[in-house]
Amino acid sequence: MEKKELTCIGCPMGCQITVELENGEIKSVTGNTCAIGDKYARNEVTHPERTVTSTVVIDGGDKPRISVKTKGNVPKDKIFDVMKEIDHAEVKAPMHIGDVVIHDVCGTGVDVVATREIAAV
């Protein structure tokens, strides 16, 4: 039986969770104080994902860069590829919260969106 020890990031509690696996199948999840922890732990050991946040160069704006994030989670093993694509992106002002900066980043099906307003100058 394999054990994985995790610290839950689903809420501020930071529960110490133990997941027991046998032949790659989850047998038990313990240590969580809520359902969010159970869901997080099961996902983390089978298909870990993260939201990625960064900034992108913006041309003609009242600021030199615009903050962005992935609209949903991306597979953890694609984070560096996602960051490379974000680093090479450039947009034109104006931009608004929720505007798509990169559509379907790295073929994940997830868009990168603006998280602030940038006016054109």
Side-chain angles (χ1 to χ4, degrees):
M1 178 114 23
E2 179 185 4
K3 285 186 178 183
K4 297 231 182 195
E5 304 289 331
L6 307 169
T7 301
C8 183
I9 60 172
C11 79
M13 292 282 293
C15 295
Q16 300 302 303
I17 300 176
T18 302
V19 180
E20 291 185 343
L21 301 115
E22 191 172 307
N23 299 322
E25 184 179 321
I26 297 170
K27 292 296 180 184
S28 69
V29 176
T30 57
N32 55 299
T33 57
C34 69
I36 294 170
D38 183 79
K39 182 179 177 184
Y40 166 77
R42 290 175 187 278
N43 191 58
E44 186 64 13
V45 298
T46 59
H47 186 67
E49 298 177 314
R50 297 290 185 275
T51 298
V52 176
T53 62
S54 190
T55 61
V56 168
V57 171
I58 186 162
D59 184 41
D62 61 351
K63 306 276 188 291
R65 299 186 74 84
I66 184 167
S67 58
V68 298
K69 72 175 192 98
T70 52
K71 193 169 182 178
N73 291 334
V74 296
K76 190 175 176 182
D77 62 356
K78 290 221 175 203
I79 290 175
F80 289 107
D81 294 330
V82 168
M83 283 303 303
K84 282 181 190 173
E85 197 166 326
I86 289 172
D87 286 344
H88 289 99
E90 186 172 324
V91 294
K92 294 205 179 292
M95 291 293 290
H96 306 283
I97 294 172
D99 285 354
V100 174
V101 174
I102 302 170
H103 177 70
D104 187 23
V105 66
C106 295
T108 60
V110 177
D111 294 339
V112 175
V113 297
T115 60
R116 76 173 295 172
E117 302 282 324
I118 300 287
V121 291

